[in-house]
Amino acid sequence: MSKTKIPALPGDVTWTEDQWKAIWAKDQDILVAAAAGSGKTAVLVNRIIQKVISEEDPIDVDELLVVTFTNASAAEMRHRVSEALEKAIDDNPHSQHLRKQLSLINRASISTLHSFCLEVIRKYYYLTDIDPGFRIADSTEIQLLRDEVMEELFEEQYGQSDNEQFFNLVDAFTSDRNDDALQNIVRSLHDFSQSNPNPGRWLDGAASMYELADDDGIDDLSFIDSLKFDIGLQLDTASDLLERSLALTKIPGGPAPRAENYLADLGLVAKLSEVKDQSWNALYEEIQNVKFGTAKRLTGADFIKEVADEATKYRDKAKKIIKSLQEELFSRKPESYLRDIRELKGYVDTLVMLVKRFDERFFAAKAEKNLVDFADLEHYCLQILTGETVDGERKPSAAAIEYRNQFKEVLVDEYQDTNLVQESILKLVTADGEYDGNLFMVGDVKQSIYRFRLAEPNLFLGKYTRFTHDGVDSGLKIDLNCNFRSRKEVLDGTNFLFQQLMGITVGEIDYDEDAQLKKGAPYPEDDPYPIELHLIDGAADPEAHSEMEGYDGGFEAEELEKAQLEARQMAKLIKKAISEKHRIY
């Protein structure tokens, strides 16, 4: 049984059982998988309030660390907690504890993680080499500085006459016009490395993937299992397509004579799947011999042309998959790939060198101007909170232990968007152990696949898989899948769509009963409301890209661009609906 004792759900409240459990569960790490429209913010606010007004074990509001994803979310959270406290005071006007909480609310740690990092750095700046008078650079300023540092770095590299490795890298990744492509690669690698607790170690690890011993084969490559996994997915898809073709031969009017072709094709694909798990060389040899037989002729009037054409279409798609594998991965002998990887080692080492030098110069340029960016905030905070590293695991510093003693619980919203640096920070200020921890995480398991802002979704997915609904020997998992925004038709359509798209193999999670959206809003169901699915191709809408030029409004350009496209499409649909209504009436 769970170690959490949940009070009985009163009959006069509107909470669902899972919401009630999320409000009251305690004494261990808790992961709340909250679907869209499931009332997660209300649950989070009420959890905070219940801890503050508890008669058995009341705590002060500044003994909670509440981490939100945006400043707006933090402001809304603080406002809602304040309103709830005022209401509690109205019900119990003589409570000195509640009045104290209202006075503490502005000091409470309800903020983005970056704001918390800033608080840590301001308090313990003397433990780092940062100037206490630093300021956070705005996006335009930091981008201009990045570009300036990058240009200076590349000019210096061009100026070295004995810099053959750099010139080889330039030849490999740039055009005759400019070296923007290579500069963008350096920027991307730098940004991604900063999302790791130890950027330098991550870069060195990426370069080490190209180190091969003389007797190493392709099966010894660190990424070969991932590549074979992808090949397996493609072979499974080809097999599914051929099974569809075969099924069509068995229906009335189907191309029955071609069943022999499809069975033979399925045998070829099955053999490829079998040898794939043996060795790369075996798969290479086998795929060279793949030849699809000529389709049997169909004569007479015993078959329906449309059915035969559909079966042919499935078979052609399967053949195209196999042909693509042959051309993209198996057109060359395995030895040639090993030779390429050994030759690439020099390019990768040079690229890593550029990223590291860019990082050093960019850091120095920011320090000279007394600037920090958001990545700096995270790494300075992590430096302050880390005492020592034992067997690769960070131990809390004296500062981290102070925060552990201060915070009775740490609550994190939008946990699926957490990266590895942020996770390391959270671990250092929370109690050790998931079964006995004090970390409360809220996130959407379906959004975890998007990897917003260099997030590491496996942090969420790993806990979602590891935690259990009873919390025995692990953390506690609670699913909030009751949607209070949408009609049944919308939820049914969404569930149907994602049942086809998401699974462990591709989407990293099963869209099972726990993940599906359940109806919570009391919409009438007398009349059916059919739904529509609209797919928006951003690349085909140049207007959205032109509107983003020069934008600096506080949101990521890519996120705003998507919002603009969605808003434009919604506006078109609303205008169409209004126009049609006017025509009717």
Side-chain angles (χ1 to χ4, degrees):
M1 292 296 294
S2 169
K3 65 191 299 184
T4 298
K5 185 177 180 180
I6 308 295
L9 179 64
D12 59 345
V13 301
T14 58
W15 300 111
T16 67
E17 290 188 7
D18 287 327
Q19 287 176 326
W20 187 252
K21 188 176 182 180
I23 291 171
W24 288 98
K26 61 180 181 178
D27 297 331
Q28 62 188 136
D29 282 359
I30 301 168
L31 181 70
V32 177
S38 62
K40 66 164 186 171
T41 303
V43 167
L44 203 53
V45 169
N46 276 272
R47 181 178 178 85
I48 296 169
I49 292 300
Q50 293 300 332
K51 289 185 173 296
V52 170
I53 68 175
S54 170
E55 295 182 0
E56 296 179 0
D57 186 24
I59 66 174
D60 291 335
V61 70
D62 62 350
E63 292 179 317
L64 297 172
L65 171 59
V66 184
V67 177
T68 63
F69 195 62
T70 65
N71 289 321
S73 298
E76 180 191 1
M77 185 77 66
R78 192 182 299 272
H79 175 69
R80 293 176 69 163
V81 172
S82 297
E83 284 187 330
L85 282 173
E86 290 173 353
K87 184 178 183 302
I89 291 174
D90 289 340
D91 296 338
N92 189 2
H94 301 294
S95 172
Q96 293 300 316
H97 173 71
L98 291 177
R99 293 185 179 277
K100 177 184 177 183
Q101 303 317 304
L102 203 55
S103 67
L104 290 174
I105 189 65
N106 288 326
R107 291 169 43 193
S109 296
I110 304 175
S111 66
T112 64
L113 189 65
H114 289 139
S115 294
F116 173 68
C117 291
L118 181 60
E119 173 193 323
V120 173
I121 297 167
R122 296 281 191 205
K123 185 176 181 179
Y124 295 101
Y125 70 89
Y126 55 86
L127 297 177
T128 71
D129 56 1
I130 193 173
D131 187 313
F134 72 89
R135 66 181 177 85
I136 300 175
D138 64 51
S139 58
T140 301
E141 184 178 21
I142 207 68
Q143 186 58 53
L144 289 173
L145 188 60
R146 278 166 60 99
D147 292 344
E148 180 182 331
V149 170
M150 186 71 73
E151 290 295 337
E152 290 177 355
L153 173 63
F154 271 64
E155 285 181 13
E156 178 187 274
Q157 293 294 317
Y158 283 123
Q160 298 177 17
S161 58
D162 58 343
N163 204 0
E164 182 179 354
Q165 288 187 322
F166 172 76
F167 294 131
N168 289 338
L169 187 66
V170 170
D171 290 339
F173 286 100
T174 64
S175 65
D176 295 336
R177 297 182 179 180
N178 55 57
D179 54 14
D180 290 350
L182 180 56
Q183 290 193 21
N184 288 335
I185 292 173
V186 173
R187 287 190 187 92
S188 297
L189 276 175
H190 177 260
D191 289 345
F192 192 85
S193 69
Q194 293 299 305
S195 70
N196 287 267
N198 191 323
R201 182 183 300 169
W202 181 85
L203 288 167
D204 291 339
S208 68
M209 294 172 65
Y210 293 81
E211 294 176 358
L212 295 179
D214 293 339
D215 57 347
D216 279 347
I218 283 191
D219 293 300
D220 297 311
L221 298 176
S222 58
F223 53 81
I224 197 65
D225 287 340
S226 298
L227 186 56
K228 285 183 177 180
F229 176 78
D230 181 70
I231 293 171
L233 290 180
Q234 296 189 57
L235 293 176
D236 288 344
T237 302
S239 182
D240 288 343
L241 290 166
L242 293 169
E243 289 285 2
R244 295 186 187 184
S245 296
L246 182 62
L248 290 174
T249 66
K250 300 176 182 179
I251 67 173
R258 291 182 178 172
E260 182 180 339
N261 291 113
Y262 304 144
L263 287 170
D265 297 342
L266 283 166
L268 291 175
V269 176
K271 183 63 175 178
L272 292 176
S273 298
E274 178 185 340
V275 300
K276 171 184 66 70
D277 297 324
Q278 298 175 9
S279 71
W280 185 272
N281 285 344
L283 181 57
Y284 169 79
E285 295 294 340
E286 188 65 34
I287 206 168
Q288 302 305 310
N289 300 321
V290 169
K291 287 183 175 58
F292 290 91
T294 303
K296 300 290 185 181
R297 292 187 61 185
L298 299 176
T299 59
D302 294 335
F303 71 94
I304 301 172
K305 182 178 184 302
E306 289 76 13
V307 176
D309 289 345
E310 186 175 4
T312 300
K313 180 184 69 173
Y314 290 141
R315 188 193 193 210
D316 287 344
K317 287 183 177 181
K319 291 167 64 176
K320 186 177 180 180
I321 290 173
I322 304 302
K323 184 177 180 181
S324 295
L325 286 175
Q326 289 174 322
E327 294 176 349
E328 294 174 8
L329 295 175
F330 298 96
S331 61
R332 301 168 59 194
K333 293 183 177 181
E335 297 79 22
S336 65
Y337 286 119
L338 293 173
R339 184 172 60 251
D340 287 348
I341 291 174
R342 290 189 173 93
E343 292 177 356
L344 283 171
K345 182 65 168 66
Y347 292 88
V348 175
D349 286 343
T350 305
L351 187 58
V352 167
M353 177 273 294
L354 286 175
V355 176
K356 288 183 175 181
R357 290 192 182 178
F358 170 76
D359 180 62
E360 293 169 0
R361 291 176 177 234
F362 187 39
F363 183 83
K366 288 182 289 186
E368 184 179 351
K369 296 178 179 291
N370 230 9
L371 299 175
V372 297
D373 57 22
F374 290 133
D376 293 328
L377 291 178
E378 292 176 352
H379 283 279
Y380 274 125
C381 180
L382 186 59
Q383 177 186 338
I384 291 168
L385 297 176
T386 302
E388 58 180 351
T389 302
V390 179
D391 296 330
E393 182 177 352
R394 294 174 182 269
K395 299 298 180 181
S397 65
I401 291 174
E402 284 190 30
Y403 283 112
R404 285 190 174 192
N405 293 333
Q406 175 186 346
F407 297 132
K408 301 294 178 59
E409 184 168 273
V410 176
L411 303 97
V412 184
D413 194 12
E414 304 292 357
Y415 181 70
Q416 79 278 349
D417 293 329
T418 301
N419 66 32
L420 291 170
V421 180
Q422 295 162 352
E423 175 74 359
S424 298
I425 291 171
L426 293 172
K427 288 180 67 175
L428 289 168
V429 297
T430 53
D432 292 328
E434 295 173 345
Y435 182 66
D436 299 298
N438 62 339
L439 181 60
F440 182 86
M441 301 152 283
V442 181
D444 188 348
V445 68
K446 291 177 284 298
Q447 289 186 28
S448 64
I449 64 172
Y450 295 139
R451 290 171 166 83
F452 287 134
R453 304 189 186 193
L454 302 177
E456 176 44 71
N458 285 318
L459 293 172
F460 186 101
L461 294 169
K463 290 179 180 178
Y464 187 79
T465 302
R466 191 165 61 251
F467 287 15
T468 60
H469 287 113
D470 57 14
V472 175
D473 298 329
S474 69
L476 177 67
K477 175 173 66 175
I478 302 173
D479 287 290
L480 298 185
N481 49 21
C482 218
N483 180 286
F484 296 92
R485 292 179 188 166
S486 305
R487 290 180 177 274
K488 180 179 183 297
E489 292 85 352
V490 173
L491 301 180
D492 289 345
T494 301
N495 287 334
F496 175 79
L497 181 65
F498 282 95
Q499 281 171 353
Q500 322 305 314
L501 297 177
M502 296 185 72
I504 289 291
T505 304
V506 177
E508 298 172 304
I509 61 166
D510 271 329
Y511 198 78
D512 55 14
E513 185 68 21
D514 290 336
Q516 289 179 24
L517 300 173
K518 308 293 192 302
K519 176 178 174 290
Y523 287 111
E525 298 184 17
D526 298 334
D527 300 316
Y529 289 87
I531 65 169
E532 298 178 6
L533 174 65
H534 293 264
L535 301 179
I536 303 174
D537 185 359
D541 193 341
E543 292 182 20
H545 300 279
S546 63
E547 290 176 6
M548 293 305 302
E549 292 180 6
Y551 170 77
D552 183 21
F555 293 94
E556 299 247 352
E558 182 181 354
E559 293 175 12
L560 187 61
E561 181 179 314
K562 291 178 180 177
Q564 285 179 323
L565 291 171
E566 292 170 359
R568 185 183 294 117
Q569 179 67 11
M570 290 299 297
K572 290 178 181 177
L573 294 172
I574 291 171
K575 288 180 180 179
K576 179 182 177 183
I578 293 174
S579 174
E580 291 178 349
K581 182 178 180 180
H582 286 169
R583 283 201 299 271
I584 293 173
Y585 296 102

